[in-house]
Amino acid sequence: MPEGPSIVILKDLIKALHLGKPEVLEVAGNANFDKDRLLHEKIQDFKSWGKHFLICFNDFTIRIHFMLFGSYLINERKKAPLKLGLIFKKDELNFYTCKVDLLEGNVKKHYHWENDVMADEWNGNAAIKKLKEKPQALVCDVLLDQQIFSGVGNIIKNEVLYRTRMHPLTKVENLPLVKLKALVKEARNYSFDFLKWKKENTLSKHWEVYSNLSSIIKSHFVAF
């Protein structure tokens, strides 16, 4: 499942097209809503919130969640069944094997960007407050709570726990404030490292927890 940085990359790729506020000239795909609603409407913005890609119109928003196997193509198509395709004057966006929903009203009614670890509006203090409201929760679970750390998935979770030297089964109530602050700080820091390495196509080369685990397993079998 794509994590927050991968959705930011999609947003940046579309931004690089310099579409402005494009008019939707054609709509295709088997998404389960009235697709004619999009015809001849102008897109106001493309946003990301955590693992969600958002296509914002005046009074509604299309939300795309790539789930486990979703994908997209820009100005290209493939033979797989199309979930949603949007055609503009010179460009097109095509989405496959994903979940697509139409959200009524302004997008700000549905999302709070202070929860998004990659957003300018990210609020670390608010994240710490929410963590303290879940004293019995395991740290491995709260890192995946999208209302606290929107955009964090398993890769970021594991690497953050490794960086902060926290056992995944530690309860929040057993973490001193300094550790809570470290958790919140590294969730954001690693997300931006993830973005940088993903763009360079070097992400897996920087995995620490997976690399060290692999070394431990190899050492075990050599010793055996």
Side-chain angles (χ1 to χ4, degrees), residues 74-190:
I74 298 174
N75 292 328
E76 292 184 68
R77 302 180 187 183
K78 60 181 178 179
K79 292 182 179 179
L82 180 65
K83 195 69 176 181
L84 181 66
L86 302 177
I87 297 177
F88 313 118
K89 186 176 181 180
K90 295 181 180 180
D91 298 281
E92 62 180 271
L93 307 177
N94 296 303
F95 302 94
Y96 303 87
T97 323
C98 55
K99 188 174 186 294
V100 182
D101 298 295
L102 188 150
L103 308 178
E104 296 287 357
N106 191 289
V107 67
K108 292 180 180 179
K109 291 173 53 179
H110 300 276
Y111 292 98
H112 299 289
W113 268 267
E114 70 172 15
N115 303 337
D116 187 334
V117 294
M118 304 205 68
D120 292 339
E121 299 88 342
W122 162 253
N123 188 329
N125 290 329
I128 290 174
K129 182 180 178 181
K130 291 176 185 177
L131 287 170
K132 289 181 176 179
E133 292 170 354
K134 296 176 176 287
Q136 294 296 312
L138 302 178
V139 67
C140 61
D141 292 333
V142 293
L143 272 170
L144 294 177
D145 187 330
Q146 299 301 293
Q147 297 307 314
I148 304 177
F149 297 105
S150 173
V152 170
N154 282 311
I155 292 175
I156 297 174
K157 176 200 72 177
N158 293 335
E159 294 294 320
V160 167
L161 289 173
Y162 184 84
R163 281 186 173 187
T164 56
R165 300 300 189 265
M166 292 187 198
H167 192 288
L169 300 183
T170 304
K171 290 184 177 180
V172 171
E173 65 179 358
N174 294 327
L175 291 174
L177 182 58
V178 65
K179 279 292 190 179
L180 287 177
K181 289 182 177 180
L183 189 73
V184 169
K185 179 181 179 180
E186 287 305 326
R188 183 169 170 84
N189 286 349
Y190 187 82

Side-chain angles (χ1 to χ4, degrees), residues 27-49:
V27 185
N30 57 19
N32 189 24
F33 61 84
D34 181 12
K35 291 181 287 295
D36 288 344
R37 178 93 177 267
L38 281 61
L39 274 176
H40 304 298
E41 291 285 343
K42 289 188 176 181
I43 294 173
Q44 301 302 305
D45 204 357
F46 297 95
K47 294 180 176 289
S48 64
W49 182 90

